[in-house]
Amino acid sequence: MSAGSASPPAISRSRWLALGVIATGMLMVVLDGSIVTVAMPAIQDDLGFSPVGLSWVVNAYLIAFGSLLLLAGRLGDLIGRKRMFLAGVGVFTAASLLAAAATTPAILIAARFLQGVGSAMSSAVSLGILVTLFTEPRERAKAIAVFSFTGAAGASIGQVLGGVLTDALNWHWIFLINLPIGLVALAIAVPVLPADRGLGLRAGADVIGALLVTAGLMLGIYTVVKVEEHGWTSAHTLGLGALSLLLLAGFVARQATARTPLMPLRILRSRSVAGANVIQVLMVAALFSFQILVALYLQRVLEYGAAETGLAMLPAAAVIGAVSLGVSARLNARFGERKVLLAGIVLLIGVLGLLTRVPVHADYVTDLLPVMLLAAGFGLALPALTTLGMSGAKEDDAGLASGLFNTTQQIGMSLGVAVLSTLAASRSDSLLAQGRSRAEALTGGYRLAFTVGAGLLVAAFVVAFTVLAQPRPRPTAVTEEAADPAADPAPVA
């Protein structure tokens, strides 16, 4: 009996409990990314990090996470997605304990790298498990809305939690908090996640392809996160960037000719899948300016504390939750994911558009609260985009599609960090040189980043409008094969 067919109440409850486990795993990953940022000063003081070395508390995690997602997703299809998810949560939980016990910068950086490995293993297959559990369109839309909410709202929750734990206890607790969550998730996941044997390593054990894509992504993300230190036109950036592109091009060529490719290129034949991944790179890169630069603006310009910053951003988490959990599934079912995605992007353009005019001495109610409320666009755009990104995945490729979707998310995040933070810093330095105050210079830098982010969202809107296929009218009764989105032969322009 398939997950989408009529099932007894006990099986139905088990599927929703499984969704809770998957969402919890996602929440741990997202919380870990944001909870660390507010504790960085305390970590630096306690362990004696240099300013350059401190950045590796974040960079080590990003490099491991972003470079291993695609490989972990395909391995999940081959050895079983449940095994990969359980192993990932286990590695992440153990690495969190190591991070909490760290007494030197080297130990903490190594632990953060291992956390990134565990996050990649669990995140890469999460959507793959979800789409095989929920095959009925209405239920799948609800499940994806829950999953998307944990990702969108988790960053704000992490900032609040990180500030509270660091101020009330110490920075070690931002990692210790993962232990009970991880252990409970493992205990529930073992009985409720569906067992899958996988295709077997012979179905896609492309060792050369795995080495090429992992090395290419790892080198590319490393190059991007070091742009702020070396500059865009330096020999370091251009040389390593060219080598990364060469490795990735070799990976694509390998997949076109290998007998058992790691990433069968057929997955990119769907316009929805390919278009959704391109849109995600643009959206995530742009929205870095909302999730991170707004927090920096609140702390550095308005002089909010860590906990105050998280509380100031809570209205955004509330409206995202209300929209994604309350209405997004119904809107997707009625109007189609493409139209809902376009509407969400329009709201997000409004978010960054308002931020381009943010003043030095802002009033929260009049200048920032409208921005937080327009963040409801996250709740519309992310579930629709996630559905489109997984729409072309057959059951055997669900882990691969999930890993690809998460990989483009990390690429977008890395590009957003590199491009927008560099532009903001350069603009601020220029304004300081002109004699502006520190607050005016910082605000001017953030405004430039918000403007570029708005431009990226406009580009995402254009791609969504032109590339994503119009929904086709469905006949009253269709066969499962005819309804398979992966059968869409339309090539990507």
Side-chain angles (χ1 to χ4, degrees):
M1 180 181 293
S2 67
S5 59
S7 56
I11 296 178
S12 179
R13 286 195 298 270
S14 177
R15 287 190 296 125
W16 290 103
L17 191 58
L19 172 63
V21 172
I22 296 170
T24 299
M26 178 66 176
L27 185 62
M28 287 174 61
V29 171
V30 175
L31 284 177
D32 193 72
S34 60
I35 202 172
V36 172
T37 57
V38 296
M40 296 281 271
I43 292 174
Q44 183 177 18
D45 293 340
D46 191 20
L47 297 185
F49 271 99
S50 66
V52 174
L54 186 64
S55 66
W56 282 98
V57 175
V58 175
N59 292 344
Y61 178 86
L62 285 178
I63 290 171
F65 187 23
S67 61
L68 293 174
L69 279 164
L70 191 60
L71 175 60
R74 187 53 177 168
L75 287 177
D77 289 330
L78 301 180
I79 68 174
R81 289 182 284 273
K82 179 177 180 177
R83 291 191 186 97
M84 182 62 70
F85 181 86
L86 294 174
V89 174
V91 170
F92 180 85
T93 304
S96 296
L97 179 60
L98 179 61
T103 55
T104 66
I107 294 176
L108 182 57
I109 290 172
R112 290 288 289 161
F113 187 89
L114 288 175
Q115 279 189 309
V117 173
S119 295
M121 294 169 68
S122 59
S123 299
V125 296
S126 294
L127 281 171
I129 297 173
L130 187 152
V131 298
T132 55
L133 274 173
F134 299 92
T135 56
E136 195 275 320
R138 187 175 296 276
E139 284 192 340
R140 179 181 289 186
K142 292 179 181 178
I144 286 179
V146 172
F147 184 84
S148 299
F149 166 70
T150 61
S156 297
I157 298 171
Q159 288 171 338
V160 177
L161 190 60
V164 170
L165 289 175
T166 303
D167 292 342
L169 298 170
N170 56 58
W171 66 266
H172 300 274
W173 283 91
I174 68 173
F175 299 114
L176 286 173
I177 194 70
N178 292 327
L179 266 64
I181 299 175
L183 292 174
V184 170
L186 284 172
I188 299 175
V190 171
V192 302
L193 288 185
D196 58 321
R197 298 180 60 184
L199 301 173
L201 291 176
R202 292 184 179 181
D206 179 14
V207 177
I208 296 177
L211 292 175
L212 285 170
V213 70
T214 303
L217 288 171
M218 190 171 289
L219 187 60
I221 294 172
Y222 169 81
T223 303
V224 168
V225 299
K226 298 292 284 184
V227 161
E228 190 171 358
E229 180 180 342
H230 294 280
W232 286 101
T233 57
S234 67
H236 179 277
T237 300
L238 295 177
L240 293 184
L243 180 57
S244 171
L245 292 175
L246 184 63
L247 290 170
L248 293 175
F251 167 72
V252 174
R254 170 74 182 175
Q255 300 316 289
T257 58
R259 291 182 58 188
T260 56
L262 180 70
M263 188 186 81
L265 298 181
R266 64 176 180 270
I267 197 170
L268 298 178
R269 293 175 185 169
S270 166
R271 293 175 65 115
S272 295
V273 172
N277 279 279
V278 172
I279 293 164
Q280 178 162 237
V281 171
L282 295 169
M283 277 184 56
V284 173
L287 296 175
F288 160 80
S289 61
F290 175 81
Q291 294 176 327
I292 305 298
L293 295 185
V294 168
L296 292 175
Y297 166 78
L298 290 171
Q299 294 183 52
R300 294 182 178 179
V301 178
L302 301 186
E303 299 183 346
Y304 283 27
E308 288 178 298
T309 299
L311 291 172
M313 298 186 74
L314 267 185
V319 296
I320 291 169
V323 173
S324 61
L325 299 178
V327 299
S328 66
R330 284 177 287 182
L331 292 176
N332 286 333
R334 180 171 182 178
F335 299 106
E337 289 82 6
R338 178 177 178 271
K339 291 182 179 179
V340 175
L341 173 62
L342 291 171
I345 294 176
V346 168
L347 290 179
L348 295 176
I349 292 173
V351 168
L352 295 188
L354 289 176
L355 288 172
T356 60
R357 303 173 59 85
V358 69
V360 176
H361 304 290
D363 177 77
Y364 180 79
V365 173
T366 58
D367 295 316
L368 294 174
L369 186 57
V371 171
M372 302 300 169
L373 297 180
L374 280 176
F378 281 102
L380 293 177
L382 291 180
L385 187 63
T386 303
T387 302
L388 291 166
M390 296 297 296
S391 61
K394 297 180 180 179
E395 184 171 350
D396 291 345
D397 293 331
L400 171 62
S402 176
L404 176 63
F405 193 73
N406 282 287
T407 298
T408 57
Q409 183 180 84
Q410 291 304 307
I411 291 173
M413 183 182 298
S414 299
L415 288 173
V417 170
V419 175
L420 299 182
S421 62
T422 301
L423 288 174
S426 299
R427 177 60 175 166
S428 296
D429 290 343
S430 175
L431 292 174
L432 283 172
Q434 297 174 19
R436 301 288 184 89
S437 68
R438 179 177 179 274
E440 289 176 327
L442 287 172
T443 304
Y446 297 145
R447 284 176 180 169
L448 176 61
F450 295 142
T451 301
V452 175
L456 292 174
L457 286 175
V458 170
F461 182 91
V462 172
V463 174
F465 188 80
T466 57
V467 173
L468 296 183
Q470 294 281 356
R472 299 174 180 176
R474 295 184 179 181
T476 304
V478 294
T479 65
E480 181 177 351
E481 179 179 355
D484 183 4
D488 182 5
V492 180

